[in-house]
């Protein structure tokens, strides 16, 4: 086995598409790094739960784990829920908590991939992005840090050639997706695309899709994109390097 076990921690959902997407992403991570043991645990709704996975790993004699939150921003789940769950882990486990996924150029590339796929499905060419405005629609949060990150991602996406980009939120913050779509329409853009900035389908992504009814193009969720799978391995290696100290960075 190569290095510590990678434990991917997903939120979970009653929507079966959520777990199916998470498992597809984890399979892609495994395919990129044969020999690395990758496990999946859920905070809620789905099995196996994070505590159950940690108990099993300890029982099997595993000693080192990198816990990776499958989250795009550092909001409540990253700051409170996951640390609280990991604090209850079996004491023989050495657990290193990796950073959340965002922000990252690889996430931006994943959004771009999904948008280009959606343009193609709509019969448009890559060059049509120059006359297309984008609503970057995230799940939403009450955490100001998370909201600021989404705004930064929207600005970065604008620099890739779209004529305008507006952030939007499915809950907890404004504007809603449908309001951002109307704002772009009023600004005079030729067409509007909605890019869900979420990893897997579920309740809030469905709300984003409903808010995109008046848009011309709706991209897919980030899902099991190759860039996202690579990003999980980047966060894994960063956590390993931090734990090992300066020697690991110069090795």
């Amino acid at each position: 086995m190569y290095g510590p076990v990678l434990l991917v921690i997903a939120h979970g959902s009653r929507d079966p598409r959520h777990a199916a997407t998470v498992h597809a992403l984890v399979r892609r991570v495994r395919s990129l790094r044969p020999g690395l043991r990758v496990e999946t645990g859920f905070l809620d709704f789905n099995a196996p739960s994070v505590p159950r996975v940690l108990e099993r790993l300890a029982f099997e004699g595993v000693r080192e784990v990198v816990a990776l939150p499958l989250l795009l921003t550092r909001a409540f789940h990253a700051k409170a829920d996951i640390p609280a769950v990991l604090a209850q882990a079996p004491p023989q486990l050495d657990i290193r908590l990796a950073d959340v996924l965002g922000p990252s150029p690889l996430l931006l590339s994943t959004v771009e991939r999904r948008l280009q796929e959606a343009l193609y499905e709509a019969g448009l060419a890559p060059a049509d992005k120059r006359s297309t405005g984008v609503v970057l629609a995230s799940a939403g949060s009450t955490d100001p840090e998370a909201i600021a990150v989404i705004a930064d991602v929207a600005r970065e996406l604008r620099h890739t050639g779209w004529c305008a980009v507006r952030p939007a939120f499915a809950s907890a913050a404004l504007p809603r997706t449908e309001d951002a779509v109307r704002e772009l329409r009023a600004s005079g853009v030729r067409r509007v695309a909605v890019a869900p900035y979420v990893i897997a389908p579920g309740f809030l992504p469905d709300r984003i899709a409903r808010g995109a009814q008046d848009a011309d193009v709706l991209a897919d969720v980030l899902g099991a994109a190759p860039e996202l799978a690579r990003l999980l391995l980047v966060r894994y290696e960063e956590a390993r390097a931090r734990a090992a100290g300066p020697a690991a960075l110069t090795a």
Side-chain angles (χ1 to χ4, degrees):
M1 187 179 67
Y2 172 83
V5 171
L6 170 57
L7 171 59
V8 177
I9 301 179
H11 181 272
S13 171
R14 292 186 178 91
D15 189 323
R17 296 173 299 166
H18 176 91
T21 302
V22 170
H23 290 310
L25 176 60
V26 168
R27 285 195 296 272
R28 176 155 284 195
V29 173
R30 291 188 183 117
S31 72
L32 292 176
R33 188 68 62 86
L36 172 61
R37 181 172 178 180
V38 187
E39 298 285 345
T40 308
F42 296 90
L43 292 174
D44 206 354
F45 302 118
N46 301 107
S49 68
V50 175
R52 180 60 60 89
V53 175
L54 293 172
E55 290 168 4
R56 174 164 52 82
L57 291 175
F59 178 78
E60 293 174 4
V62 171
R63 290 296 175 263
E64 294 182 295
V65 176
V66 170
L68 196 161
L70 198 61
L71 301 169
L72 300 179
T73 60
R74 273 185 49 79
F76 182 79
H77 294 305
K79 294 178 179 179
D81 282 352
I82 290 176
V85 169
L86 297 179
Q88 303 301 315
Q92 61 266 45
L93 290 177
D94 175 13
I95 300 178
R96 312 163 197 179
L97 181 58
D99 289 338
V100 297
L101 299 178
S104 166
L106 285 169
L107 274 178
L108 203 65
S109 295
T110 307
V111 174
E112 185 74 16
R113 168 188 288 274
R114 295 306 186 214
L115 280 167
Q116 291 295 344
E117 290 169 348
L119 288 182
Y120 179 81
E121 289 286 330
L124 300 167
D128 287 313
K129 69 186 293 185
R130 292 193 296 269
S131 55
T132 302
V134 175
V135 175
L136 183 73
S138 74
S141 173
T142 58
D143 189 303
E145 179 185 350
I147 297 301
V149 167
I150 300 302
D152 287 343
V153 174
R155 282 190 289 270
E156 290 296 320
L157 186 62
R158 170 69 179 83
H159 295 154
T160 67
W162 303 94
C163 71
V165 180
R166 300 286 189 275
F169 308 93
S171 68
L174 297 174
R176 295 288 185 258
T177 303
E178 54 269 30
D179 297 327
V181 170
R182 282 194 290 268
E183 180 186 344
L184 283 174
R185 289 269 188 233
S187 73
V189 300
R190 182 177 299 178
R191 69 186 64 83
V192 177
V194 172
Y197 193 61
V198 293
I199 293 173
F203 177 76
L204 292 178
D206 283 350
R207 182 180 289 178
I208 290 171
R210 290 193 298 272
Q213 288 180 352
D214 291 333
D216 301 285
V217 174
L218 173 62
D220 200 358
V221 297
L222 305 182
E227 296 88 350
L228 190 57
R230 295 208 311 273
L231 179 55
L232 266 65
L233 291 173
V234 168
R235 294 291 185 250
Y236 171 81
E237 293 297 347
E238 289 171 348
R240 290 185 68 201
R242 284 198 304 272
L249 300 177
T250 58

